[in-house]
Amino acid sequence: MKKFVLIILILSTLSFDTQKEDAFNTGEYFKFRIHYGIVNAGYATLEVKDATVNNKKVHHAVGKGYTTGMSKFFFKVEDLYESYFDKETGEPYRFVRKIDEGGYTKNQEGFFNQSENKVLVKDYKRKTEKTIVITDNVQDIVSSFYFLRNHPNIDKLKSGEAITIDMFFDDEITKFKLKYVGRQDITTKFGTVSCMIFKPLVQTGRVFKEKESLTLWITDDANKVPIRIKADLAVGSLKADLDEYKGLQSPLKVKNK
């Protein structure tokens, strides 16, 4: 459950636009309902706000994930992820990661110095801090996907092709790869929606069955809203469906209701 909440927070930002205008703006809000089988396991939300960093107006993305009902008694999750990034370039200035996943906790904050390719990570739980060398154009875990929302080549991908970016997470740089699969119409609570299908590549292990265990559906319209996410786990599967939204740049395109 904890891994999936993290994935929701990551992927709930995935939407792309080939136009010059940004695919998102202040006030955009998504809420996802997470299911484990027939059980409603929890929710994940993501919202874009305004903030000021070094006297400059920036985007402030806030992601939250939490378990509900009986799931909360079996495995409590309360996650908070935040990112402050440039409105024009998408470069991150600061990130926050404060999580509680069944007793496993983290409380970190990172400060990027893009001109020197460094990030200062403060660990408030361990009362430590360290400076880590980063690559050019690196993104944090949340800003990564807002950066991808405005990627100019996403609609030009052919089946099997992918986009790869550098992402800073858990004190190291990782390659995040998103492979395009095809298109499909799916039924949602908002109506029938035409979607683009992607497979974010993940590491295999005790949580995921294989490298392509995740599947993402985003609307094939100007907004490219994440509508559905599915994860095949070592035991069972988890699914998240968009349950609520507001503040989109353009009306959500549906075929029928």
PDB file of all heavy atoms in Angstrom, residues 53 58-59 82-87 89-95 110-115 118-119 134-144 147 166-168:
ATOM      1  N   VAL A  53       9.685  31.926  -3.339  1.00  0.00           N
ATOM      2  CA  VAL A  53      11.008  31.448  -2.941  1.00  0.00           C
ATOM      3  C   VAL A  53      12.037  32.478  -3.384  1.00  0.00           C
ATOM      4  O   VAL A  53      12.112  32.811  -4.568  1.00  0.00           O
ATOM      5  CB  VAL A  53      11.329  30.079  -3.584  1.00  0.00           C
ATOM      6  CG1 VAL A  53      12.762  29.663  -3.269  1.00  0.00           C
ATOM      7  CG2 VAL A  53      10.358  29.012  -3.095  1.00  0.00           C
ATOM      8  N   VAL A  58       6.619  31.115  -7.419  1.00  0.00           N
ATOM      9  CA  VAL A  58       6.864  29.764  -7.943  1.00  0.00           C
ATOM     10  C   VAL A  58       5.620  28.909  -7.782  1.00  0.00           C
ATOM     11  O   VAL A  58       4.682  29.269  -7.068  1.00  0.00           O
ATOM     12  CB  VAL A  58       8.042  29.092  -7.201  1.00  0.00           C
ATOM     13  CG1 VAL A  58       9.315  29.906  -7.354  1.00  0.00           C
ATOM     14  CG2 VAL A  58       7.714  28.886  -5.724  1.00  0.00           C
ATOM     15  N   HIS A  59       5.630  27.756  -8.464  1.00  0.00           N
ATOM     16  CA  HIS A  59       4.578  26.761  -8.249  1.00  0.00           C
ATOM     17  C   HIS A  59       4.886  25.975  -6.981  1.00  0.00           C
ATOM     18  O   HIS A  59       6.040  25.626  -6.703  1.00  0.00           O
ATOM     19  CB  HIS A  59       4.508  25.791  -9.427  1.00  0.00           C
ATOM     20  CG  HIS A  59       3.878  26.353 -10.657  1.00  0.00           C
ATOM     21  ND1 HIS A  59       2.643  26.950 -10.658  1.00  0.00           N
ATOM     22  CD2 HIS A  59       4.320  26.401 -11.949  1.00  0.00           C
ATOM     23  CE1 HIS A  59       2.338  27.336 -11.888  1.00  0.00           C
ATOM     24  NE2 HIS A  59       3.338  27.028 -12.678  1.00  0.00           N
ATOM     25  N   GLU A  82       5.957  17.579  -1.122  1.00  0.00           N
ATOM     26  CA  GLU A  82       5.807  18.937  -1.642  1.00  0.00           C
ATOM     27  C   GLU A  82       6.981  19.285  -2.552  1.00  0.00           C
ATOM     28  O   GLU A  82       8.086  18.766  -2.381  1.00  0.00           O
ATOM     29  CB  GLU A  82       5.756  19.954  -0.501  1.00  0.00           C
ATOM     30  CG  GLU A  82       4.612  19.750   0.466  1.00  0.00           C
ATOM     31  CD  GLU A  82       4.605  20.805   1.563  1.00  0.00           C
ATOM     32  OE1 GLU A  82       4.393  21.991   1.246  1.00  0.00           O
ATOM     33  OE2 GLU A  82       4.832  20.434   2.737  1.00  0.00           O
ATOM     34  N   SER A  83       6.704  20.146  -3.512  1.00  0.00           N
ATOM     35  CA  SER A  83       7.765  20.619  -4.404  1.00  0.00           C
ATOM     36  C   SER A  83       7.519  22.082  -4.745  1.00  0.00           C
ATOM     37  O   SER A  83       6.384  22.491  -5.022  1.00  0.00           O
ATOM     38  CB  SER A  83       7.799  19.793  -5.690  1.00  0.00           C
ATOM     39  OG  SER A  83       8.799  20.286  -6.568  1.00  0.00           O
ATOM     40  N   TYR A  84       8.590  22.863  -4.705  1.00  0.00           N
ATOM     41  CA  TYR A  84       8.558  24.255  -5.117  1.00  0.00           C
ATOM     42  C   TYR A  84       9.424  24.362  -6.367  1.00  0.00           C
ATOM     43  O   TYR A  84      10.624  24.059  -6.320  1.00  0.00           O
ATOM     44  CB  TYR A  84       9.120  25.159  -4.025  1.00  0.00           C
ATOM     45  CG  TYR A  84       8.358  25.125  -2.727  1.00  0.00           C
ATOM     46  CD1 TYR A  84       8.506  24.071  -1.833  1.00  0.00           C
ATOM     47  CD2 TYR A  84       7.496  26.166  -2.375  1.00  0.00           C
ATOM     48  CE1 TYR A  84       7.815  24.041  -0.628  1.00  0.00           C
ATOM     49  CE2 TYR A  84       6.803  26.157  -1.172  1.00  0.00           C
ATOM     50  CZ  TYR A  84       6.964  25.083  -0.308  1.00  0.00           C
ATOM     51  OH  TYR A  84       6.277  25.066   0.885  1.00  0.00           O
ATOM     52  N   PHE A  85       8.829  24.774  -7.495  1.00  0.00           N
ATOM     53  CA  PHE A  85       9.607  24.800  -8.742  1.00  0.00           C
ATOM     54  C   PHE A  85       9.266  26.003  -9.602  1.00  0.00           C
ATOM     55  O   PHE A  85       8.196  26.601  -9.491  1.00  0.00           O
ATOM     56  CB  PHE A  85       9.428  23.499  -9.530  1.00  0.00           C
ATOM     57  CG  PHE A  85       8.003  23.141  -9.851  1.00  0.00           C
ATOM     58  CD1 PHE A  85       7.441  23.487 -11.071  1.00  0.00           C
ATOM     59  CD2 PHE A  85       7.217  22.439  -8.936  1.00  0.00           C
ATOM     60  CE1 PHE A  85       6.139  23.150 -11.385  1.00  0.00           C
ATOM     61  CE2 PHE A  85       5.913  22.090  -9.237  1.00  0.00           C
ATOM     62  CZ  PHE A  85       5.367  22.457 -10.466  1.00  0.00           C
ATOM     63  N   ASP A  86      10.196  26.365 -10.469  1.00  0.00           N
ATOM     64  CA  ASP A  86      10.115  27.558 -11.303  1.00  0.00           C
ATOM     65  C   ASP A  86       8.939  27.489 -12.265  1.00  0.00           C
ATOM     66  O   ASP A  86       8.696  26.460 -12.894  1.00  0.00           O
ATOM     67  CB  ASP A  86      11.422  27.737 -12.080  1.00  0.00           C
ATOM     68  CG  ASP A  86      11.562  29.111 -12.677  1.00  0.00           C
ATOM     69  OD1 ASP A  86      10.972  29.354 -13.753  1.00  0.00           O
ATOM     70  OD2 ASP A  86      12.260  29.944 -12.077  1.00  0.00           O
ATOM     71  N   LYS A  87       8.213  28.587 -12.395  1.00  0.00           N
ATOM     72  CA  LYS A  87       7.038  28.611 -13.263  1.00  0.00           C
ATOM     73  C   LYS A  87       7.403  28.586 -14.740  1.00  0.00           C
ATOM     74  O   LYS A  87       6.585  28.175 -15.569  1.00  0.00           O
ATOM     75  CB  LYS A  87       6.187  29.847 -12.969  1.00  0.00           C
ATOM     76  CG  LYS A  87       5.439  29.788 -11.645  1.00  0.00           C
ATOM     77  CD  LYS A  87       4.428  30.914 -11.533  1.00  0.00           C
ATOM     78  CE  LYS A  87       3.587  30.753 -10.282  1.00  0.00           C
ATOM     79  NZ  LYS A  87       2.494  31.749 -10.193  1.00  0.00           N
ATOM     80  N   THR A  89      10.871  27.541 -16.121  1.00  0.00           N
ATOM     81  CA  THR A  89      11.797  26.468 -16.488  1.00  0.00           C
ATOM     82  C   THR A  89      11.425  25.113 -15.894  1.00  0.00           C
ATOM     83  O   THR A  89      11.859  24.076 -16.400  1.00  0.00           O
ATOM     84  CB  THR A  89      13.227  26.803 -16.025  1.00  0.00           C
ATOM     85  OG1 THR A  89      13.260  26.820 -14.585  1.00  0.00           O
ATOM     86  CG2 THR A  89      13.652  28.166 -16.542  1.00  0.00           C
ATOM     87  N   GLY A  90      10.637  25.109 -14.837  1.00  0.00           N
ATOM     88  CA  GLY A  90      10.294  23.854 -14.169  1.00  0.00           C
ATOM     89  C   GLY A  90      11.366  23.357 -13.216  1.00  0.00           C
ATOM     90  O   GLY A  90      11.195  22.304 -12.578  1.00  0.00           O
ATOM     91  N   GLU A  91      12.474  24.082 -13.077  1.00  0.00           N
ATOM     92  CA  GLU A  91      13.547  23.654 -12.179  1.00  0.00           C
ATOM     93  C   GLU A  91      13.089  23.705 -10.722  1.00  0.00           C
ATOM     94  O   GLU A  91      12.518  24.712 -10.285  1.00  0.00           O
ATOM     95  CB  GLU A  91      14.777  24.539 -12.355  1.00  0.00           C
ATOM     96  CG  GLU A  91      15.520  24.321 -13.655  1.00  0.00           C
ATOM     97  CD  GLU A  91      16.791  25.147 -13.708  1.00  0.00           C
ATOM     98  OE1 GLU A  91      16.908  26.117 -12.932  1.00  0.00           O
ATOM     99  OE2 GLU A  91      17.671  24.813 -14.525  1.00  0.00           O
ATOM    100  N   PRO A  92      13.357  22.653  -9.965  1.00  0.00           N
ATOM    101  CA  PRO A  92      12.941  22.640  -8.558  1.00  0.00           C
ATOM    102  C   PRO A  92      13.879  23.462  -7.680  1.00  0.00           C
ATOM    103  O   PRO A  92      15.095  23.495  -7.899  1.00  0.00           O
ATOM    104  CB  PRO A  92      13.012  21.155  -8.178  1.00  0.00           C
ATOM    105  CG  PRO A  92      14.069  20.595  -9.073  1.00  0.00           C
ATOM    106  CD  PRO A  92      13.948  21.358 -10.370  1.00  0.00           C
ATOM    107  N   TYR A  93      13.287  24.128  -6.693  1.00  0.00           N
ATOM    108  CA  TYR A  93      14.057  24.886  -5.716  1.00  0.00           C
ATOM    109  C   TYR A  93      14.113  24.166  -4.367  1.00  0.00           C
ATOM    110  O   TYR A  93      15.099  24.273  -3.643  1.00  0.00           O
ATOM    111  CB  TYR A  93      13.433  26.269  -5.502  1.00  0.00           C
ATOM    112  CG  TYR A  93      13.494  27.174  -6.706  1.00  0.00           C
ATOM    113  CD1 TYR A  93      12.340  27.500  -7.412  1.00  0.00           C
ATOM    114  CD2 TYR A  93      14.704  27.711  -7.130  1.00  0.00           C
ATOM    115  CE1 TYR A  93      12.389  28.341  -8.514  1.00  0.00           C
ATOM    116  CE2 TYR A  93      14.763  28.557  -8.237  1.00  0.00           C
ATOM    117  CZ  TYR A  93      13.600  28.865  -8.931  1.00  0.00           C
ATOM    118  OH  TYR A  93      13.651  29.690 -10.025  1.00  0.00           O
ATOM    119  N   ARG A  94      13.046  23.447  -4.062  1.00  0.00           N
ATOM    120  CA  ARG A  94      12.936  22.849  -2.738  1.00  0.00           C
ATOM    121  C   ARG A  94      11.945  21.690  -2.778  1.00  0.00           C
ATOM    122  O   ARG A  94      10.974  21.721  -3.528  1.00  0.00           O
ATOM    123  CB  ARG A  94      12.463  23.910  -1.744  1.00  0.00           C
ATOM    124  CG  ARG A  94      12.131  23.438  -0.348  1.00  0.00           C
ATOM    125  CD  ARG A  94      11.551  24.598   0.454  1.00  0.00           C
ATOM    126  NE  ARG A  94      10.892  24.145   1.675  1.00  0.00           N
ATOM    127  CZ  ARG A  94       9.964  24.843   2.322  1.00  0.00           C
ATOM    128  NH1 ARG A  94       9.593  26.027   1.858  1.00  0.00           N
ATOM    129  NH2 ARG A  94       9.428  24.368   3.420  1.00  0.00           N
ATOM    130  N   PHE A  95      12.218  20.652  -1.980  1.00  0.00           N
ATOM    131  CA  PHE A  95      11.233  19.572  -1.835  1.00  0.00           C
ATOM    132  C   PHE A  95      11.059  19.223  -0.362  1.00  0.00           C
ATOM    133  O   PHE A  95      11.933  19.478   0.476  1.00  0.00           O
ATOM    134  CB  PHE A  95      11.647  18.328  -2.639  1.00  0.00           C
ATOM    135  CG  PHE A  95      12.786  17.538  -2.035  1.00  0.00           C
ATOM    136  CD1 PHE A  95      12.571  16.614  -1.015  1.00  0.00           C
ATOM    137  CD2 PHE A  95      14.089  17.700  -2.499  1.00  0.00           C
ATOM    138  CE1 PHE A  95      13.618  15.886  -0.462  1.00  0.00           C
ATOM    139  CE2 PHE A  95      15.147  16.982  -1.956  1.00  0.00           C
ATOM    140  CZ  PHE A  95      14.906  16.065  -0.929  1.00  0.00           C
ATOM    141  N   GLY A 110      14.783  19.251   1.042  1.00  0.00           N
ATOM    142  CA  GLY A 110      15.929  19.431   0.163  1.00  0.00           C
ATOM    143  C   GLY A 110      15.928  20.805  -0.476  1.00  0.00           C
ATOM    144  O   GLY A 110      14.874  21.329  -0.841  1.00  0.00           O
ATOM    145  N   PHE A 111      17.116  21.379  -0.636  1.00  0.00           N
ATOM    146  CA  PHE A 111      17.272  22.707  -1.227  1.00  0.00           C
ATOM    147  C   PHE A 111      18.247  22.606  -2.399  1.00  0.00           C
ATOM    148  O   PHE A 111      19.415  22.269  -2.222  1.00  0.00           O
ATOM    149  CB  PHE A 111      17.794  23.692  -0.176  1.00  0.00           C
ATOM    150  CG  PHE A 111      16.905  23.822   1.024  1.00  0.00           C
ATOM    151  CD1 PHE A 111      17.036  22.946   2.100  1.00  0.00           C
ATOM    152  CD2 PHE A 111      15.925  24.802   1.079  1.00  0.00           C
ATOM    153  CE1 PHE A 111      16.214  23.057   3.211  1.00  0.00           C
ATOM    154  CE2 PHE A 111      15.096  24.920   2.189  1.00  0.00           C
ATOM    155  CZ  PHE A 111      15.245  24.045   3.251  1.00  0.00           C
ATOM    156  N   PHE A 112      17.754  22.909  -3.606  1.00  0.00           N
ATOM    157  CA  PHE A 112      18.543  22.767  -4.821  1.00  0.00           C
ATOM    158  C   PHE A 112      19.341  24.029  -5.121  1.00  0.00           C
ATOM    159  O   PHE A 112      18.844  25.148  -4.992  1.00  0.00           O
ATOM    160  CB  PHE A 112      17.639  22.467  -6.021  1.00  0.00           C
ATOM    161  CG  PHE A 112      17.036  21.091  -6.009  1.00  0.00           C
ATOM    162  CD1 PHE A 112      15.800  20.878  -5.411  1.00  0.00           C
ATOM    163  CD2 PHE A 112      17.690  20.011  -6.587  1.00  0.00           C
ATOM    164  CE1 PHE A 112      15.230  19.606  -5.396  1.00  0.00           C
ATOM    165  CE2 PHE A 112      17.139  18.750  -6.579  1.00  0.00           C
ATOM    166  CZ  PHE A 112      15.902  18.547  -5.975  1.00  0.00           C
ATOM    167  N   ASN A 113      20.578  23.813  -5.548  1.00  0.00           N
ATOM    168  CA  ASN A 113      21.411  24.875  -6.102  1.00  0.00           C
ATOM    169  C   ASN A 113      21.748  24.437  -7.521  1.00  0.00           C
ATOM    170  O   ASN A 113      22.737  23.743  -7.763  1.00  0.00           O
ATOM    171  CB  ASN A 113      22.684  25.065  -5.268  1.00  0.00           C
ATOM    172  CG  ASN A 113      23.512  26.255  -5.742  1.00  0.00           C
ATOM    173  OD1 ASN A 113      23.503  26.615  -6.915  1.00  0.00           O
ATOM    174  ND2 ASN A 113      24.239  26.867  -4.819  1.00  0.00           N
ATOM    175  N   GLN A 114      20.888  24.823  -8.470  1.00  0.00           N
ATOM    176  CA  GLN A 114      21.023  24.349  -9.842  1.00  0.00           C
ATOM    177  C   GLN A 114      22.290  24.865 -10.506  1.00  0.00           C
ATOM    178  O   GLN A 114      22.889  24.179 -11.342  1.00  0.00           O
ATOM    179  CB  GLN A 114      19.790  24.763 -10.662  1.00  0.00           C
ATOM    180  CG  GLN A 114      18.470  24.211 -10.151  1.00  0.00           C
ATOM    181  CD  GLN A 114      18.286  22.738 -10.462  1.00  0.00           C
ATOM    182  OE1 GLN A 114      19.133  22.110 -11.101  1.00  0.00           O
ATOM    183  NE2 GLN A 114      17.172  22.163 -10.017  1.00  0.00           N
ATOM    184  N   SER A 115      22.729  26.079 -10.147  1.00  0.00           N
ATOM    185  CA  SER A 115      23.920  26.648 -10.786  1.00  0.00           C
ATOM    186  C   SER A 115      25.190  25.884 -10.410  1.00  0.00           C
ATOM    187  O   SER A 115      26.147  25.829 -11.185  1.00  0.00           O
ATOM    188  CB  SER A 115      24.074  28.123 -10.395  1.00  0.00           C
ATOM    189  OG  SER A 115      24.257  28.259  -8.995  1.00  0.00           O
ATOM    190  N   LYS A 118      24.074  21.016  -7.114  1.00  0.00           N
ATOM    191  CA  LYS A 118      24.098  20.426  -5.783  1.00  0.00           C
ATOM    192  C   LYS A 118      22.725  20.533  -5.125  1.00  0.00           C
ATOM    193  O   LYS A 118      21.927  21.405  -5.475  1.00  0.00           O
ATOM    194  CB  LYS A 118      25.131  21.135  -4.891  1.00  0.00           C
ATOM    195  CG  LYS A 118      26.569  20.964  -5.332  1.00  0.00           C
ATOM    196  CD  LYS A 118      27.511  21.720  -4.409  1.00  0.00           C
ATOM    197  CE  LYS A 118      28.965  21.555  -4.859  1.00  0.00           C
ATOM    198  NZ  LYS A 118      29.892  22.323  -3.957  1.00  0.00           N
ATOM    199  N   VAL A 119      22.468  19.638  -4.183  1.00  0.00           N
ATOM    200  CA  VAL A 119      21.254  19.714  -3.379  1.00  0.00           C
ATOM    201  C   VAL A 119      21.624  19.452  -1.919  1.00  0.00           C
ATOM    202  O   VAL A 119      22.350  18.509  -1.609  1.00  0.00           O
ATOM    203  CB  VAL A 119      20.171  18.715  -3.862  1.00  0.00           C
ATOM    204  CG1 VAL A 119      20.693  17.279  -3.852  1.00  0.00           C
ATOM    205  CG2 VAL A 119      18.911  18.829  -2.995  1.00  0.00           C
ATOM    206  N   ILE A 134      24.436  16.671  -8.115  1.00  0.00           N
ATOM    207  CA  ILE A 134      23.351  16.246  -8.989  1.00  0.00           C
ATOM    208  C   ILE A 134      23.696  16.527 -10.447  1.00  0.00           C
ATOM    209  O   ILE A 134      24.654  17.242 -10.751  1.00  0.00           O
ATOM    210  CB  ILE A 134      22.029  16.955  -8.631  1.00  0.00           C
ATOM    211  CG1 ILE A 134      22.210  18.482  -8.676  1.00  0.00           C
ATOM    212  CG2 ILE A 134      21.551  16.508  -7.248  1.00  0.00           C
ATOM    213  CD1 ILE A 134      20.943  19.269  -8.419  1.00  0.00           C
ATOM    214  N   THR A 135      22.909  15.970 -11.348  1.00  0.00           N
ATOM    215  CA  THR A 135      23.102  16.171 -12.785  1.00  0.00           C
ATOM    216  C   THR A 135      22.395  17.437 -13.245  1.00  0.00           C
ATOM    217  O   THR A 135      21.582  18.019 -12.517  1.00  0.00           O
ATOM    218  CB  THR A 135      22.560  14.968 -13.568  1.00  0.00           C
ATOM    219  OG1 THR A 135      21.181  14.766 -13.213  1.00  0.00           O
ATOM    220  CG2 THR A 135      23.342  13.716 -13.247  1.00  0.00           C
ATOM    221  N   ASP A 136      22.684  17.852 -14.464  1.00  0.00           N
ATOM    222  CA  ASP A 136      21.975  18.983 -15.054  1.00  0.00           C
ATOM    223  C   ASP A 136      20.501  18.622 -15.248  1.00  0.00           C
ATOM    224  O   ASP A 136      20.174  17.478 -15.583  1.00  0.00           O
ATOM    225  CB  ASP A 136      22.581  19.351 -16.412  1.00  0.00           C
ATOM    226  CG  ASP A 136      23.961  19.974 -16.285  1.00  0.00           C
ATOM    227  OD1 ASP A 136      24.216  20.609 -15.243  1.00  0.00           O
ATOM    228  OD2 ASP A 136      24.778  19.803 -17.214  1.00  0.00           O
ATOM    229  N   ASN A 137      19.632  19.605 -15.058  1.00  0.00           N
ATOM    230  CA  ASN A 137      18.200  19.440 -15.324  1.00  0.00           C
ATOM    231  C   ASN A 137      17.535  18.353 -14.485  1.00  0.00           C
ATOM    232  O   ASN A 137      16.534  17.769 -14.901  1.00  0.00           O
ATOM    233  CB  ASN A 137      17.956  19.151 -16.813  1.00  0.00           C
ATOM    234  CG  ASN A 137      18.529  20.227 -17.705  1.00  0.00           C
ATOM    235  OD1 ASN A 137      18.363  21.418 -17.433  1.00  0.00           O
ATOM    236  ND2 ASN A 137      19.225  19.817 -18.761  1.00  0.00           N
ATOM    237  N   VAL A 138      18.081  18.060 -13.313  1.00  0.00           N
ATOM    238  CA  VAL A 138      17.470  17.050 -12.459  1.00  0.00           C
ATOM    239  C   VAL A 138      16.182  17.600 -11.846  1.00  0.00           C
ATOM    240  O   VAL A 138      16.036  18.806 -11.637  1.00  0.00           O
ATOM    241  CB  VAL A 138      18.458  16.611 -11.348  1.00  0.00           C
ATOM    242  CG1 VAL A 138      18.639  17.715 -10.320  1.00  0.00           C
ATOM    243  CG2 VAL A 138      17.988  15.331 -10.681  1.00  0.00           C
ATOM    244  N   GLN A 139      15.247  16.708 -11.583  1.00  0.00           N
ATOM    245  CA  GLN A 139      13.974  17.056 -10.974  1.00  0.00           C
ATOM    246  C   GLN A 139      13.802  16.284  -9.671  1.00  0.00           C
ATOM    247  O   GLN A 139      14.410  15.236  -9.480  1.00  0.00           O
ATOM    248  CB  GLN A 139      12.814  16.695 -11.921  1.00  0.00           C
ATOM    249  CG  GLN A 139      12.844  17.394 -13.257  1.00  0.00           C
ATOM    250  CD  GLN A 139      12.477  18.864 -13.137  1.00  0.00           C
ATOM    251  OE1 GLN A 139      11.595  19.234 -12.374  1.00  0.00           O
ATOM    252  NE2 GLN A 139      13.155  19.709 -13.903  1.00  0.00           N
ATOM    253  N   ASP A 140      12.955  16.804  -8.775  1.00  0.00           N
ATOM    254  CA  ASP A 140      12.616  16.011  -7.607  1.00  0.00           C
ATOM    255  C   ASP A 140      11.430  15.118  -7.956  1.00  0.00           C
ATOM    256  O   ASP A 140      10.928  15.134  -9.083  1.00  0.00           O
ATOM    257  CB  ASP A 140      12.348  16.888  -6.375  1.00  0.00           C
ATOM    258  CG  ASP A 140      11.121  17.778  -6.521  1.00  0.00           C
ATOM    259  OD1 ASP A 140      10.065  17.293  -6.962  1.00  0.00           O
ATOM    260  OD2 ASP A 140      11.216  18.976  -6.175  1.00  0.00           O
ATOM    261  N   ILE A 141      10.962  14.342  -6.982  1.00  0.00           N
ATOM    262  CA  ILE A 141       9.985  13.303  -7.296  1.00  0.00           C
ATOM    263  C   ILE A 141       8.642  13.861  -7.765  1.00  0.00           C
ATOM    264  O   ILE A 141       7.933  13.233  -8.547  1.00  0.00           O
ATOM    265  CB  ILE A 141       9.786  12.368  -6.093  1.00  0.00           C
ATOM    266  CG1 ILE A 141       9.123  11.073  -6.520  1.00  0.00           C
ATOM    267  CG2 ILE A 141       9.042  13.062  -4.972  1.00  0.00           C
ATOM    268  CD1 ILE A 141       9.161   9.997  -5.464  1.00  0.00           C
ATOM    269  N   VAL A 142       8.276  15.064  -7.312  1.00  0.00           N
ATOM    270  CA  VAL A 142       7.014  15.669  -7.741  1.00  0.00           C
ATOM    271  C   VAL A 142       7.208  16.581  -8.943  1.00  0.00           C
ATOM    272  O   VAL A 142       6.456  16.516  -9.922  1.00  0.00           O
ATOM    273  CB  VAL A 142       6.361  16.443  -6.575  1.00  0.00           C
ATOM    274  CG1 VAL A 142       5.103  17.171  -7.044  1.00  0.00           C
ATOM    275  CG2 VAL A 142       5.997  15.492  -5.432  1.00  0.00           C
ATOM    276  N   SER A 143       8.240  17.419  -8.906  1.00  0.00           N
ATOM    277  CA  SER A 143       8.461  18.350 -10.020  1.00  0.00           C
ATOM    278  C   SER A 143       8.754  17.631 -11.326  1.00  0.00           C
ATOM    279  O   SER A 143       8.511  18.160 -12.407  1.00  0.00           O
ATOM    280  CB  SER A 143       9.610  19.311  -9.701  1.00  0.00           C
ATOM    281  OG  SER A 143      10.865  18.653  -9.704  1.00  0.00           O
ATOM    282  N   SER A 144       9.272  16.386 -11.225  1.00  0.00           N
ATOM    283  CA  SER A 144       9.570  15.596 -12.421  1.00  0.00           C
ATOM    284  C   SER A 144       8.394  15.545 -13.375  1.00  0.00           C
ATOM    285  O   SER A 144       8.525  15.739 -14.577  1.00  0.00           O
ATOM    286  CB  SER A 144       9.934  14.156 -12.025  1.00  0.00           C
ATOM    287  OG  SER A 144      11.109  14.096 -11.287  1.00  0.00           O
ATOM    288  N   PHE A 147       7.157  18.784 -14.866  1.00  0.00           N
ATOM    289  CA  PHE A 147       8.085  19.086 -15.955  1.00  0.00           C
ATOM    290  C   PHE A 147       7.671  18.327 -17.220  1.00  0.00           C
ATOM    291  O   PHE A 147       7.684  18.875 -18.324  1.00  0.00           O
ATOM    292  CB  PHE A 147       9.498  18.692 -15.526  1.00  0.00           C
ATOM    293  CG  PHE A 147      10.548  18.921 -16.570  1.00  0.00           C
ATOM    294  CD1 PHE A 147      11.054  20.182 -16.808  1.00  0.00           C
ATOM    295  CD2 PHE A 147      11.045  17.862 -17.315  1.00  0.00           C
ATOM    296  CE1 PHE A 147      12.025  20.398 -17.771  1.00  0.00           C
ATOM    297  CE2 PHE A 147      12.014  18.059 -18.282  1.00  0.00           C
ATOM    298  CZ  PHE A 147      12.510  19.333 -18.507  1.00  0.00           C
ATOM    299  N   ASP A 166      16.122  12.482 -15.459  1.00  0.00           N
ATOM    300  CA  ASP A 166      16.825  12.271 -14.195  1.00  0.00           C
ATOM    301  C   ASP A 166      15.958  12.764 -13.042  1.00  0.00           C
ATOM    302  O   ASP A 166      15.435  13.888 -13.085  1.00  0.00           O
ATOM    303  CB  ASP A 166      18.149  13.035 -14.178  1.00  0.00           C
ATOM    304  CG  ASP A 166      19.200  12.401 -15.066  1.00  0.00           C
ATOM    305  OD1 ASP A 166      19.030  11.223 -15.431  1.00  0.00           O
ATOM    306  OD2 ASP A 166      20.186  13.080 -15.398  1.00  0.00           O
ATOM    307  N   MET A 167      15.813  11.926 -12.009  1.00  0.00           N
ATOM    308  CA  MET A 167      14.989  12.267 -10.870  1.00  0.00           C
ATOM    309  C   MET A 167      15.768  12.023  -9.581  1.00  0.00           C
ATOM    310  O   MET A 167      16.401  10.981  -9.420  1.00  0.00           O
ATOM    311  CB  MET A 167      13.703  11.434 -10.865  1.00  0.00           C
ATOM    312  CG  MET A 167      12.762  11.733  -9.719  1.00  0.00           C
ATOM    313  SD  MET A 167      11.154  10.938  -9.923  1.00  0.00           S
ATOM    314  CE  MET A 167      11.623   9.205  -9.820  1.00  0.00           C
ATOM    315  N   PHE A 168      15.731  12.995  -8.681  1.00  0.00           N
ATOM    316  CA  PHE A 168      16.413  12.866  -7.392  1.00  0.00           C
ATOM    317  C   PHE A 168      15.448  12.308  -6.357  1.00  0.00           C
ATOM    318  O   PHE A 168      14.401  12.888  -6.081  1.00  0.00           O
ATOM    319  CB  PHE A 168      16.945  14.220  -6.925  1.00  0.00           C
ATOM    320  CG  PHE A 168      17.703  14.154  -5.625  1.00  0.00           C
ATOM    321  CD1 PHE A 168      19.013  13.705  -5.600  1.00  0.00           C
ATOM    322  CD2 PHE A 168      17.095  14.522  -4.430  1.00  0.00           C
ATOM    323  CE1 PHE A 168      19.715  13.632  -4.400  1.00  0.00           C
ATOM    324  CE2 PHE A 168      17.785  14.448  -3.231  1.00  0.00           C
ATOM    325  CZ  PHE A 168      19.103  14.004  -3.210  1.00  0.00           C
TER     326      PHE A 168
END
